[in-house]
Amino acid sequence: MRKGILSIAAASILALGSLAACGDDSGSDTGSGDNGGGKTPKIGVILPDSASSDRWETADRKYLEEAFKAAGVQFDIQNAQGDKNTFQTLADQMITNGATVLMIVNLDSGTGKAVLDKAKSQGVATIDYDRLTLGGSAEYYVSFDNVAVGKLQGEGLVNCLTTMNAQKPVVAELNGSQTDNNATLFKQGYDSVLQPKYDAGDYQKGPDQWVPDWNNTQAGTIFEQMLTQTGGKINGVLAANDGLGNAVISILKKNKLNGKVPVTGQDATVQGLQNILAGDQCMTVYKAIKKEADAAAELAIGLAKGEKKATSQTVKDPEGGRDVPSVLLTPVAITKDNVKDVVADGFVTKEELCTGSFAAACTQAGIS
Ligand code: BGC
């Protein structure tokens, strides 16, 4: 897996290399004349919330800030805290305050599209960060291969169920928010692994539900109902991220089933990794967000200077039919065996992970 993480780094350097190599001046930017014909970069970023995953405030904000600071550009990073009106207000304020590029993580495609279209009409270039806005108009989409994320989750769950020698296990699915295109892609990925197992009768399909807004608290309620509904007969849980996974684990703990029912996750949060070390979570997916932030920042800075850098990939927007120039990074599956790689990559520190009762498990997992 070490190799996996290193190859992500290599892939992204390649991607960035090709961006830099293919950069060209579109000449379409009228500019304010204060930066060699281009505008002075001023980049606005709107993050979605801070409750659906730790990543937005602990990783994305930090890495984006670092990238903008290193490039010496002005920036403003705000968080909509899950509120669509706030999201639109923040976008309006950023445009009024002279943003030359707007980078968004949409809360849903409808409001995302409205914000992108408005920015475009005012000459502000846009980037879809992490989530594609369906029917939108962003110049770029920067994310991970999200179907691959889901595949890793499906395969991870299968590995855990196989190790436990589970016979015809009932698998429950807790999907992310139905308004997040990524949640659709994750499901596409894990269902491509699980559906053939259901079809062959090797696994039994249990309850399958979307969690509105990725709400972790609601996920606990939903899973508790699933457990009641099935008379406690759930043998494996595909939870779409670490927050949902932790909600499931809390309910399993209440029923003394934690550690007996494998649960998946995503984002390699401290909590998710600790749940893995404790044996309560089967796996998580590590997405090297530094690479995502660096790639997005580089494209944003280019746009602000009036350059339309080329990307090596495109993604088809299924709603608008556009081929959106994209950077898609590679996710990595994390189990107890390679939790140490996430620490070695600098994504979480030993100090935050190996607290109190986790110290022994950390030593055992080779985290020194
Ligand atoms: C992101 C995940 C995150 C989820 C909830 C998705 O769009 O790709 O990393 O866990 O949103 O915030």
Side-chain angles (χ1 to χ4, degrees):
M1 274 346 279
R2 187 125 184 81
K3 199 172 151 238
I5 286 178
L6 292 178
S7 66
I8 294 178
S12 91
I13 287 164
L14 253 182
L16 290 178
S18 70
L19 293 174
C22 302
D24 70 282
D25 283 323
S26 69
S28 60
D29 191 333
T30 47
S32 59
D34 48 6
N35 190 22
K39 293 178 185 173
T40 299
K42 188 165 181 188
I43 296 156
V45 181
I46 309 179
L47 299 173
D49 64 70
S50 45
S52 65
S53 172
D54 289 348
R55 63 167 285 181
W56 306 115
E57 285 299 328
T58 63
D60 295 272
R61 178 186 289 275
K62 176 178 78 181
Y63 292 129
L64 285 167
E65 265 176 21
E66 280 173 12
F68 294 139
K69 279 185 186 154
V73 296
Q74 285 184 56
F75 62 93
D76 181 16
I77 304 176
Q78 300 287 341
N79 191 315
Q81 301 300 358
D83 188 315
K84 287 164 200 158
N85 290 324
T86 305
F87 195 96
Q88 281 175 312
T89 308
L90 286 171
D92 288 342
Q93 282 167 354
M94 286 175 178
I95 296 171
T96 308
N97 292 339
T100 47
V101 178
L102 190 62
M103 202 150 110
I104 66 163
V105 186
N106 74 52
L107 285 171
D108 67 6
S109 284
T111 42
K113 178 177 162 47
V115 162
L116 295 174
D117 290 351
K118 189 164 182 186
K120 192 174 189 176
S121 74
Q122 313 225 358
V124 176
T126 53
I127 295 180
D128 270 335
Y129 181 71
D130 202 69
R131 300 178 179 166
L132 181 69
T133 301
L134 301 180
S137 54
E139 264 85 0
Y140 296 109
Y141 167 51
V142 179
S143 191
F144 284 79
D145 178 339
N146 292 308
V147 176
V149 169
K151 273 195 192 139
L152 294 178
Q153 294 173 314
E155 288 161 4
L157 187 63
V158 169
N159 286 341
C160 287
L161 287 167
T162 307
T163 308
M164 294 170 112
N165 200 21
Q167 301 301 312
K168 294 197 189 304
V170 175
V171 172
E173 298 185 19
L174 258 93
N175 313 301
S177 167
Q178 204 163 9
T179 62
D180 176 356
N181 182 55
N182 285 349
T184 308
L185 299 174
F186 302 146
K187 184 166 176 57
Q188 202 178 309
Y190 48 75
D191 281 348
S192 75
V193 177
L194 297 173
Q195 193 60 47
K197 301 254 178 214
Y198 300 143
D199 292 345
D202 296 338
Y203 284 13
Q204 299 175 61
K205 187 165 169 56
D208 179 355
Q209 277 190 53
W210 299 92
V211 178
D213 302 326
W214 293 91
N215 184 309
N216 293 192
T217 311
Q218 219 170 321
T221 311
I222 292 174
F223 182 68
E224 197 155 28
Q225 283 161 359
M226 288 178 168
L227 209 54
T228 311
Q229 205 182 73
T230 54
K233 266 201 69 191
I234 290 177
N235 309 106
V237 185
L238 193 310
N241 79 356
D242 284 355
L244 305 188
N246 188 64
V248 169
I249 290 166
S250 306
I251 303 300
L252 289 174
K253 278 183 178 161
K254 248 172 81 177
N255 290 277
K256 304 212 163 30
L257 287 170
N258 56 309
K260 297 181 186 148
V261 177
V263 179
T264 63
Q266 170 180 190
D267 289 342
T269 59
V270 168
Q271 189 178 58
L273 296 171
Q274 289 180 335
N275 282 336
I276 291 179
L277 290 173
D280 291 338
Q281 186 170 325
C282 154
M283 60 87 68
T284 187
V285 177
Y286 173 49
K287 303 193 291 191
I289 291 169
K290 180 173 168 28
K291 309 278 187 289
E292 187 181 16
D294 283 349
E298 178 167 347
L299 291 172
I301 292 161
L303 282 175
K305 292 180 175 166
E307 298 165 8
K308 186 82 200 265
K309 299 183 177 208
T311 62
S312 52
Q313 282 163 289
T314 58
V315 165
K316 184 142 212 115
D317 170 355
E319 215 164 284
R322 273 189 326 138
D323 287 318
V324 187
S326 301
V327 176
L328 295 186
L329 301 158
T330 307
V332 179
I334 300 295
T335 62
K336 227 182 231 185
D337 291 343
N338 61 346
V339 168
K340 59 178 178 305
D341 291 357
V342 183
V343 180
D345 215 34
F347 188 70
V348 298
T349 64
K350 184 191 166 192
E351 286 64 37
E352 51 191 349
L353 182 63
C354 305
T355 50
S357 61
F358 295 103
C362 273
T363 310
Q364 234 181 2
I367 301 160
S368 53

